[in-house]
Amino acid sequence: MKSVCLFFQVHQPFRHRRYRFFDIGNDHYYYDDYSNDTIMRKIADKCYLPANKLLLDLIDRTEGKFKVAFSITGTALEQFELYAPEVIDSFRKLAKTGCVEFLSETYSHSLSSLKDPEIFKEQIRLHDERIFGLFGQKPRIFRNTEMIYSDEIGAQIAGMGFHGILTEGAKQVLGWKSPNFVYVNAINPRMKVLMRNFKLSDDIAFRFSNGNWSEFPLTAEKFIAWLEKLEAREEVVNLFLSYESFGERQKAESGIFNFLESFVEKVVQNTQMRFATPTQVVEQLQPVSAVHVPEAISWADEERDLTAWLGNNLQKEAFTKLYELGKRMQRCTDQDLIKDWNYLQVSDHFYYMSTKHSSNGSVNRSENPFDSPYGAFINYMNILSDFKIRLNAVVPENETESEIAVLQRIIDEKDEKLKKLEADLRRLQKTKKTKTTLRK
């Protein structure tokens, strides 16, 4: 029996406002609240809310035979809480069914796995704590930002106790092999690797409403027939796609929700197929071999590499300058700085600087708010310059200044405590004076 593993990514970045050179050192607020609010409300109404409602209904109708997995970034969860809290409620309802698995991610949808193992680990910790707090699940399967994966990344994830990882079934990695099997990490064979069937996934995510596509229109019957034609020994079909494919990229009027509903019903009715979560797949299916990925891959563009984010000198410069601050951020306790640090790591900022033209089937779906890659770079570097000034005030670059900063913080904390005690004393004296007056 074939397992159909259906997984959705949910991510929204905190978009930056136009931040000018003269703002540096004068204005420490970096965000375009209007755009963040407007875009979140639009996608919530078109995608998240109707899609979650449909999934909940399908789980009920199929008596729990329909199963699905999500990875939701921390920045998306924060925006739900700010602008569309009902989306959080709808995910909580899905979590309570026991048919929905929440995967681990980097909190900020960051590229930290390519730069700093400690920052990468911290990003994962922050994310998993938020998932547990909201949905009561401790993630067991990991899905990296944009499905970035290499042998070393997989081995690090294995060392953190995860049972499996999702990535792209890239041709340059698999060659003649099929993505429709379970593989293992080349360094640590205890780590199971699930590889995305990009052809079938992108048929839904990108080609569904394309009238020029040779297979248009795509119906559930046609899609099921394709699954049935796969070799009998192929055990799992990994359909991994962005959740915004439903209702946002593929509009409701295209019939995408009807397709999803019919597809789920037909898989459940098919005696040769079943839905399974990633955890069920890695626990119940045996791996066929190791998959060797010495150079990092992703699910972006036809190249399935890192060039969407780190393909030019602008991107590499911004990326390097950001993570040069990593060691000092480990000593930073200022919550506003930590929040901004997390938001600065969002991979979308580097994508906005890309100079490559996305190929057909590009996974990158971000709405670029900038007129040019150079404009995106200048805006980001202006913000980073202001952020560095603020960080220098709290955690200076040399150790002598650092000690002074620590002492200053201690003094400031004591001053605040003294002010509070003085205020309490004044209130107490006022209360006693009032009681004395009343007695007279």
Side-chain angles (χ1 to χ4, degrees):
M1 178 178 285
K2 278 186 174 51
S3 296
V4 177
C5 186
L6 188 60
F7 156 85
F8 298 125
Q9 169 194 276
V10 179
H11 168 59
Q12 289 297 324
F14 277 96
R15 297 160 188 85
H16 288 152
R17 67 179 179 86
R18 293 297 188 276
Y19 193 85
R20 313 298 181 187
F21 174 79
F22 295 105
D23 291 328
I24 299 172
N26 296 311
D27 189 340
H28 305 316
Y29 193 76
Y30 309 138
Y31 308 104
D32 186 344
D33 293 335
Y34 176 79
S35 291
N36 290 326
D37 187 355
T38 303
I39 292 171
M40 174 54 72
R41 279 301 341 165
K42 180 188 73 168
I43 300 178
D45 292 337
K46 289 185 175 181
C47 170
Y48 303 137
L49 292 172
N52 280 2
K53 184 176 183 298
L54 176 59
L55 296 190
L56 192 63
D57 182 51
L58 288 169
I59 290 170
D60 183 58
R61 266 192 273 160
T62 61
E63 298 179 336
K65 293 178 182 177
F66 172 53
K67 300 181 188 300
V68 67
F70 286 94
S71 73
I72 311 176
T73 63
T75 55
L77 291 169
E78 285 192 37
Q79 288 198 56
F80 291 153
E81 291 171 332
L82 284 171
Y83 307 124
E86 64 271 34
V87 175
I88 292 283
D89 294 336
S90 67
F91 275 114
R92 280 197 175 111
K93 290 178 182 177
L94 286 171
K96 288 178 181 178
T97 65
C99 298
V100 176
E101 180 176 6
F102 292 92
L103 307 189
S104 182
E105 247 265 20
T106 56
Y107 188 90
S108 306
H109 204 61
S110 78
L111 303 175
S112 55
S113 61
L114 304 172
K115 192 65 175 179
D116 191 310
E118 291 305 313
I119 296 174
F120 184 43
K121 187 182 295 186
E122 175 65 10
Q123 282 275 301
I124 295 168
R125 184 191 68 79
L126 287 173
H127 176 269
D128 291 1
E129 284 183 357
R130 179 59 66 95
I131 291 296
F132 185 78
L134 288 172
F135 308 121
Q137 287 191 23
K138 182 180 179 181
R140 304 169 67 188
I141 307 293
F142 185 76
R143 183 265 187 197
N144 199 13
T145 302
E146 305 294 348
M147 292 202 175
I148 292 172
Y149 176 81
S150 68
D151 294 336
E152 289 188 1
I153 292 172
Q156 182 179 355
I157 292 301
M160 294 175 65
F162 290 98
H163 298 181
I165 189 168
L166 277 56
T167 189
E168 178 74 351
K171 288 181 180 179
Q172 67 263 37
V173 169
L174 287 176
W176 57 268
K177 296 178 182 178
S178 168
N180 304 327
F181 293 100
V182 177
Y183 293 89
V184 296
N185 176 261
I187 298 174
N188 188 334
R190 288 177 295 181
M191 169 60 66
K192 305 285 183 65
V193 181
L194 301 186
M195 308 203 78
R196 175 178 180 258
N197 187 314
F198 66 83
K199 166 70 170 60
L200 292 174
S201 299
D202 289 351
D203 284 343
I204 301 171
F206 295 102
R207 293 182 277 273
F208 181 81
S209 60
N210 183 358
N212 296 320
W213 181 34
S214 61
E215 297 293 346
F216 181 84
L218 179 60
T219 63
E221 291 81 4
K222 184 186 291 186
F223 200 82
I224 292 290
W226 292 344
L227 298 184
E228 290 174 334
K229 287 179 182 178
L230 295 173
E231 290 187 27
R233 64 191 186 90
E234 294 182 299
E235 298 177 301
V236 59
V237 181
N238 296 312
L239 301 176
F240 304 159
L241 52 155
S242 170
Y243 204 29
E244 290 81 13
S245 300
F246 297 92
E248 174 61 15
R249 184 181 299 122
Q250 308 296 340
K251 307 301 181 186
E253 51 267 29
S254 71
I256 189 68
F257 289 110
N258 294 334
F259 168 84
L260 178 60
E261 181 177 12
S262 181
F263 169 65
V264 169
E265 290 174 342
K266 291 184 183 306
V267 169
V268 170
Q269 293 164 7
N270 193 305
T271 57
Q272 299 304 310
M273 299 179 194
R274 60 150 194 170
F275 282 106
T277 63
T279 289
Q280 289 175 320
V281 171
V282 301
E283 288 182 346
Q284 298 171 10
L285 300 182
Q286 292 301 310
V288 293
S289 70
V291 58
H292 296 270
V293 189
E295 300 293 330
I297 60 173
S298 77
W299 71 341
D301 306 334
E302 290 184 355
E303 298 86 354
R304 267 66 182 180
D305 59 14
L306 306 179
T307 54
W309 309 278
L310 298 174
N312 63 44
N313 290 333
L314 299 178
Q315 294 167 311
K316 292 173 184 176
E317 172 76 5
F319 181 71
T320 300
K321 292 299 183 184
L322 172 68
Y323 284 104
E324 281 178 354
L325 307 178
K327 297 300 181 185
R328 283 197 287 153
M329 281 306 304
Q330 291 177 8
R331 308 200 306 269
C332 179
T333 58
D334 185 290
Q335 292 305 306
D336 288 335
L337 278 169
I338 292 171
K339 180 188 71 173
D340 291 336
W341 166 249
N342 286 329
Y343 296 168
L344 279 165
Q345 293 185 62
V346 174
S347 63
D348 300 62
H349 300 313
F350 303 97
Y351 173 67
Y352 299 150
M353 303 173 201
S354 177
T355 50
K356 68 182 289 190
H357 295 286
S358 296
S359 313
N360 262 350
S362 165
V363 172
N364 284 292
R365 71 281 170 269
S366 304
E367 295 181 15
N368 194 334
F370 297 97
D371 297 329
S372 70
Y374 185 70
F377 172 76
I378 292 298
N379 204 78
Y380 186 84
M381 296 306 286
N382 284 344
I383 291 171
L384 195 59
S385 295
D386 183 81
F387 179 83
K388 188 174 180 179
I389 291 170
R390 293 165 59 207
L391 179 60
N392 286 342
V394 178
V395 188
E397 292 188 62
N398 68 63
E399 289 301 317
T400 303
E401 289 180 348
S402 180
E403 290 176 8
I404 294 171
V406 170
L407 289 171
Q408 184 62 52
R409 187 165 61 250
I410 292 171
I411 291 169
D412 291 343
E413 288 173 356
K414 289 186 179 296
D415 283 345
E416 286 297 318
K417 191 171 183 179
L418 283 171
K419 288 177 184 177
K420 185 177 182 300
L421 290 171
E422 287 172 357
D424 290 343
L425 182 60
R426 283 195 296 270
R427 281 195 297 270
L428 182 61
Q429 290 173 338
K430 187 177 180 181
T431 302
K432 287 181 176 180
K433 186 177 181 179
T434 301
K435 286 181 179 179
T436 302
T437 303
L438 290 172
R439 287 195 189 102
K440 292 178 178 178

